[in-house]
Amino acid sequence: MPHSCIGGFLSFLETSSNASPKTLTAYRTDLTQYFDFLREHWGLGEGDPLDPGRATPTDVRLFMGSLLDRGIKPRSIARKLASVKSCYRYLLESGAIEQSALSLVMTPRLDRKVPEFLSEGEAASLFGHLPDPAARSGEEGADAGFEAARDIAILELLYGCGLRLSEVIGLENAGVDLHNGFLKVTGKGRKQRIVPLGKPASEALRNYFEVRRNFFRISLGRVEESPRVFVTRRGRQLYPMLVQRMTKRYLSSVTESGRKNPHMLRHSFATHLLNAGADLKSVSEMLGHSSLTTTELYTHVTFSRLREVYLKSHPRA
């Protein structure tokens, strides 16, 4: 039954929640680990039937303990438990099982990590010292000029629009409206949202589009036909590692933080907006968060700023 119930649950997720292939793969891995553990723990043979509804809170806690013994991090264990709980809710509602002990198992409380971000000065330094694509093209060739224009546009969208890495890679030409100044982005769960496009990001995109058009017409003798905004110099879709390496290279010039990745610019986008007085709900919508609780992680800096304002302004401070 476990394999069939996993398949049924994943089909339900795909149709009801429009879950992405990556999300479905994560659920499949988590649930397979859980049911394999139960089978071994209960001493069942390969062909013996397994009843998920028989699981007790102790069984589930033993599963979590086995993951700890294997060196799995608490945050990953909490995610796996959430996957199992979701599957059991589906099994109950569909009538596949009559009872579930999962509601009696508490998800372990995790320390909420404060996201690393650039200071406003570091961000200004980063964008104030980006290379000139035209100069790079003249010094190193058309390939270098194309990649410089592309990379600058990517950095502007990561910081200026708060996009995720996957959203930058998946951004389509049809989703860019330079005239009205917005992007249509497909985020987690294939949910679409509209994101405002600032002047520097708009200018970087305009320049990139022009460079891209000339590059493929002159250097490769053809028009670029990819629906994606960002492509390699061979016209193929970007891959995450390429953007991660590029971002790390540029961030290394302005910060000594250990996490020099695309998400650091997204964190900086949210933090700087909140520091400037933007309301939490608006920032949450721009980030594509499904819950304000997630966005609240970025209020860490605003508290120190509020204290500074209080100390300067209140007569009894």
Side-chain angles (χ1 to χ4, degrees):
M1 178 177 176
H3 293 295
S4 61
C5 76
I6 291 175
F9 173 60
L10 296 181
S11 297
F12 167 75
L13 278 182
E14 189 172 16
T15 55
S16 66
S17 304
N18 202 21
S20 68
K22 184 178 179 181
T23 298
L24 295 175
T25 298
Y27 270 107
R28 184 184 297 278
T29 300
D30 295 343
L31 294 171
T32 299
Q33 288 177 344
Y34 170 73
F35 286 124
D36 285 349
F37 170 82
L38 289 185
R39 182 172 292 281
E40 182 179 352
H41 175 57
W42 291 342
L44 298 178
E46 187 71 27
D48 295 333
L50 187 153
D51 177 12
R54 172 188 159 193
T56 66
T58 300
D59 293 328
V60 181
R61 294 188 186 106
L62 286 173
F63 167 65
M64 296 164 64
S66 72
L67 295 174
L68 275 174
D69 290 342
R70 290 165 48 192
I72 306 298
K73 294 181 179 179
R75 190 168 298 276
S76 297
I77 293 175
R79 192 208 71 220
K80 291 177 185 296
L81 179 58
S83 297
V84 174
K85 284 189 172 186
S86 295
C87 182
Y88 268 71
R89 281 195 296 271
Y90 162 78
L91 293 175
L92 273 174
E93 292 171 2
S94 64
I97 59 176
E98 295 182 356
Q99 60 182 7
S100 168
L102 268 292
S103 60
L104 303 176
V105 181
M106 299 296 292
T107 301
R109 185 179 293 275
L110 301 172
D111 292 332
R112 301 177 75 188
K113 291 185 178 179
V114 176
E116 293 191 56
F117 59 94
L118 298 176
S119 68
E120 293 181 29
E122 288 170 337
S125 178
L126 171 65
F127 290 98
H129 296 86
L130 293 176
D132 179 1
R136 286 282 299 274
S137 182
E139 295 169 1
E140 304 174 43
D143 284 4
F146 165 75
E147 291 183 346
R150 180 197 64 199
D151 295 350
I152 290 171
I154 289 175
L155 292 172
E156 288 285 2
L157 294 190
L158 289 170
Y159 174 68
C161 301
L163 300 192
R164 300 179 177 93
L165 170 59
S166 60
E167 293 169 349
V168 168
I169 291 176
L171 185 63
E172 297 189 348
N173 295 309
V176 179
D177 187 337
L178 293 176
H179 177 71
N180 293 304
F182 70 80
L183 301 176
K184 182 181 288 186
V185 179
T186 302
K188 287 186 175 180
R190 301 177 188 174
K191 294 179 181 177
Q192 289 194 327
R193 70 183 189 279
I194 302 297
V195 180
L197 193 59
K199 185 177 179 181
S202 293
E203 291 178 350
L205 277 173
R206 280 195 181 91
N207 183 62
Y208 165 65
F209 285 142
E210 181 179 354
V211 170
R212 185 183 70 176
R213 183 170 55 252
N214 292 333
F215 174 75
F216 283 102
R217 180 173 56 84
I218 297 173
S219 299
L220 302 182
R222 60 183 172 85
V223 176
E224 171 50 35
E225 297 177 349
S226 172
R228 306 290 188 188
V229 170
F230 298 111
V231 293
T232 69
R233 61 175 181 260
R234 294 292 174 262
R236 302 190 181 106
Q237 182 177 340
L238 292 187
Y239 48 94
M241 187 61 71
L242 186 154
V243 181
Q244 289 166 349
R245 286 200 302 261
M246 178 274 292
T247 307
K248 182 177 181 178
R249 186 173 72 251
Y250 280 104
L251 288 175
S252 295
S253 66
V254 297
T255 179
E256 296 182 358
S257 168
R259 296 194 174 190
K260 305 178 186 71
N261 54 37
H263 230 57
M264 188 182 202
L265 290 169
R266 175 174 160 88
H267 295 327
S268 303
F269 163 85
T271 301
H272 297 170
L273 276 176
L274 290 168
N275 274 349
D279 68 276
L280 195 65
K281 190 172 188 303
S282 296
V283 175
S284 181
E285 289 178 1
M286 285 186 277
L287 290 170
H289 285 163
S290 57
S291 169
L292 283 177
T293 303
T294 308
T295 318
E296 285 173 351
L297 284 172
Y298 297 103
T299 60
H300 55 286
V301 176
T302 64
F303 292 138
S304 62
R305 189 175 182 86
L306 285 172
R307 178 172 175 77
E308 180 184 339
V309 171
Y310 170 74
L311 291 174
K312 286 182 178 179
S313 308
H314 198 281
R316 303 286 289 178

